[in-house]
Amino acid sequence: MWVESVVPVDKALEIVLGHTPVLPAEEVELPNALGRVLGEDVHADHDMPPFDRSAMDGYAVRSADVTQAPVVLDVTGQIRAGQWPDRALEPGQAIQIMTGAPVPPGATAVQPAEKTRALEGGRRVEMLAPVEPGAHIARQGVEVRAGDRLLERGRTIDPATMAVLASAGKRRLRVGGRPTLAMLVTGDELVEVWDTPSRGRIRNSNGYAMVAQARWAGAEARSLGIVPDQADRIAEAVRDGFRDDVLVISGGVSEGAYDLVEEVLARFDVGLLFTKVAIKPGAPLVFGRRGDKLVFGLPGNPVSAQVTFDVFVRAALLRMQGAKVVSRPRVEVELLDAVKNRSGRQAYSPARVTFEGGRLVARPVSSQGSADVVAHAQANALVILEASQLRAEAGQKVPALLLGNFLERDGSA
Ligand code: AMP
Ligand code: MG
């Protein structure tokens, strides 16, 4: 299918995801699962807590014995975490108990140590206050029951997920396969990061930004280096790049005389699915497929490159790993300054979102344009204006995508 027209963003994303294969899952050891996408549903293999558990250091008691506090009880034993009670609690008795220890049969509450006073070298104890039935006891199975589903496949494994996996005894688990990505930048003006640009030249920043974006999306990414604007040289690099699951090319996709990417991709029988998307920044945007391999031709403009990578390539990389959610979290923000959109395309404007006065507010990042990587690095969100929306005023509410650096870039959070 050849779509020559300018494709709306939603439609383009649908096309990308529709052509993105989910890679076969693989098995990893738990410590290596962080950041991967869970490839199986995880169920509880036991109740949690697995027994009636004390939530405090104190004394297991019958709350009925303590209603007339202060009262004195006989201390008949001690239970530490990891031990199992060897006797039941009888009326008039208390058993000293530690946090995490199983509550003995007969006990109906745990009295925290602070509300007690040990007497006679610990043989007896004074309860200084009454204690409600059930107080400070976490009952067996209140968190989850054996067999309950704890985690659904398709979620990204974060530190909190690691705790659940560990509790469920998942020493090994299935995770989505990791896509590999090759990054090619083209432009006669580009020099290496270690070079001082001579007249008319600039450093390659996209290569670094996009390899980093790919890695943060869970891919194994490598750089094919800087390739000059010569079809044969680009073709050579493209051939190399097709060893990976995804090839991303930055630069050379506009209408300039040296924009050769489409011509080169045709040599490799790449089926182009679109070449222009109604997105600002970044209208020229090529997506194609060669068998199971995906190719993205992104604009060379650094901000356009990062934004389009985030919206399309990141989504594809996550889908390849089996992720359910492939787009950034979308929230409503109140604009602190007006945002313009004369592009006639859906606009993704870099902004800095903070939480102020009980609401999320967005201050548009003032930028010199699509090349301004320094301004873009101030942003932690992309504010969205529809193609038909020429302007949004200060005070107006608009949708925004939160980038992964939200907390790090928000001093107030
Ligand atoms: P192009 O898409 O090749 O027409 O490039 C558009 C703009 O982005 C030009 O100003 C290029 O110099 C700039 N550009 C292209 N590639 C890169 C890169 N890898 N790093 C930084 N800027 C770039
Ligand atoms: Mg160029």
Side-chain angles (χ1 to χ4, degrees), residues 365-387:
V365 163
S366 106
S367 157
Q368 297 304 311
S370 290
D372 196 342
V373 289
V374 179
H376 189 61
Q378 299 297 320
N380 61 11
L382 298 170
V383 161
I384 303 173
L385 261 57
E386 293 308 321

Side-chain angles (χ1 to χ4, degrees), residues 186-189 229 251-254 258-259 300:
T186 167
D188 287 338
E189 72 281 29
D229 290 317
V253 292
S254 350
Y258 299 96
D259 292 332

Side-chain angles (χ1 to χ4, degrees), residues 97-112:
I97 193 164
M98 309 304 163
T99 304
V103 173
T108 61
V110 169
Q111 176 74 289

Side-chain angles (χ1 to χ4, degrees), residues 11-338:
K11 177 72 187 159
L13 188 57
E14 200 183 299
I15 293 172
V16 168
L17 295 176
H19 287 271
T20 299
V22 176
L23 302 178
E26 61 188 35
E27 214 175 63
V28 294
E29 305 268 340
L30 179 57
N32 299 327
L34 183 67
R36 305 293 298 265
V37 175
L38 188 58
E40 57 179 303
D41 289 346
V42 174
H43 295 88
D45 67 339
H46 62 273
D47 289 346
M48 288 163 67
F51 46 83
D52 292 348
R53 183 181 62 198
S54 175
M56 296 291 277
D57 292 335
Y59 291 85
V61 297
R62 293 168 179 260
S63 69
D65 287 349
V66 188
T67 42
Q68 302 301 322
V71 294
V72 174
L73 303 173
D74 293 327
V75 178
T76 60
Q78 187 196 60
I79 311 167
R80 292 184 293 175
Q83 288 183 326
W84 195 251
D86 58 1
R87 77 192 67 177
L89 185 88
E90 304 295 341
Q93 295 181 345
I95 294 179
Q96 197 185 9
I97 193 164
M98 309 304 163
T99 304
V103 173
T108 61
V110 169
Q111 176 74 289
E114 308 80 275
K115 292 184 181 161
T116 68
R117 191 159 58 97
L119 303 172
E120 299 171 28
R123 282 194 300 279
R124 306 187 80 200
V125 64
E126 185 178 17
M127 298 286 131
L128 303 175
V131 59
E132 290 289 312
H136 309 301
I137 297 176
R139 292 286 174 199
Q140 176 172 347
V142 282
E143 292 157 13
V144 295
R145 287 284 178 195
D148 282 356
R149 188 170 68 182
L150 305 179
L151 298 168
E152 231 180 296
R153 66 190 298 168
R155 79 179 258 165
T156 300
I157 297 169
D158 61 7
T161 314
M162 293 290 279
V164 180
L165 291 165
S167 303
K170 298 300 290 185
R171 181 182 174 188
R172 298 179 66 79
L173 61 144
R174 293 189 74 70
V175 295
R178 278 187 99 172
T180 64
L181 178 144
M183 180 71 222
L184 184 170
V185 301
T186 167
D188 287 338
E189 72 281 29
L190 302 175
V191 302
E192 290 292 358
V193 63
W194 50 84
D195 287 331
T196 304
S198 55
R199 286 198 299 178
R201 311 192 75 187
I202 57 166
R203 289 199 180 100
N204 161 31
S205 61
N206 290 352
Y208 292 88
M210 292 161 101
V211 163
Q213 286 180 292
R215 289 184 179 154
W216 267 11
E220 258 172 54
R222 68 183 173 118
S223 168
L224 299 172
I226 298 171
V227 181
D229 290 317
Q230 295 164 26
D232 290 342
R233 298 288 299 278
I234 297 173
E236 207 178 301
V238 164
R239 185 180 308 283
D240 182 6
F242 273 127
R243 292 192 292 137
D244 289 303
D245 299 317
V246 180
L247 170 62
V248 176
I249 306 170
S250 145
V253 292
S254 350
E255 312 268 331
Y258 299 96
D259 292 332
L260 305 164
V261 167
E262 280 181 54
E263 178 195 320
V264 170
L265 292 180
R267 295 191 198 177
F268 289 87
D269 291 325
V270 170
L272 291 183
L273 295 147
F274 56 73
T275 57
K276 282 191 177 59
V277 177
I279 185 170
K280 181 202 159 194
L285 202 158
V286 174
F287 172 63
R289 205 178 135 171
R290 186 175 188 243
D292 270 350
K293 316 268 182 174
L294 305 183
V295 193
F296 292 88
L298 305 188
N301 263 318
V303 175
S304 317
Q306 288 182 50
V307 170
T308 51
F309 189 106
D310 207 87
V311 174
F312 298 103
V313 187
R314 178 178 179 276
L317 294 174
L318 290 173
R319 179 52 50 83
M320 289 175 121
Q321 298 165 76
K324 271 228 171 82
V325 176
V326 299
S327 295
R328 297 287 189 186
R330 196 182 165 106
V331 295
E332 194 180 62
V333 295
E334 191 178 311
L335 289 173
L336 292 178
D337 283 313

